[in-house]
Amino acid sequence: MDEKLSRVDPKLLELMVCPLTKGRLTYDREHNELVSEKAKLAYPIRDGIPIMLVSEAREIEE
């Protein structure tokens, strides 16, 4: 994958929130996902675009 496409602009990340909880998201570089700890969901990033749909998110196990 192109390295530029796998990065998330830190300014954009500050503005984005989980669509379910409206809580903060963190970027997981290893999995290329935006993670909502509160919702225990990880939203995929495809071709540099965050897919912010709960139906597309992966559940995170503790």
Side-chain angles (χ1 to χ4, degrees):
M1 178 179 286
D2 185 336
E3 186 63 28
K4 287 183 181 178
L5 293 179
S6 65
R7 292 189 198 148
V8 175
D9 183 338
K11 291 180 184 177
L12 180 62
L13 186 55
E14 288 177 19
L15 298 173
M16 296 181 73
V17 295
C18 173
L20 186 64
T21 66
K22 309 300 185 234
R24 183 173 163 253
L25 297 167
T26 56
Y27 177 55
D28 179 346
R29 181 175 297 207
E30 182 180 338
H31 295 104
N32 198 37
E33 298 172 323
L34 294 177
V35 177
S36 170
E37 295 290 338
K38 195 171 184 181
K40 300 207 183 321
L41 293 173
Y43 298 93
I45 300 172
R46 297 187 188 127
D47 298 322
I49 301 169
I51 310 299
M52 303 305 296
L53 299 170
V54 174
S55 61
E56 293 289 317
R58 175 178 67 84
E59 289 187 32
I60 299 172
E61 299 178 15
E62 290 192 58

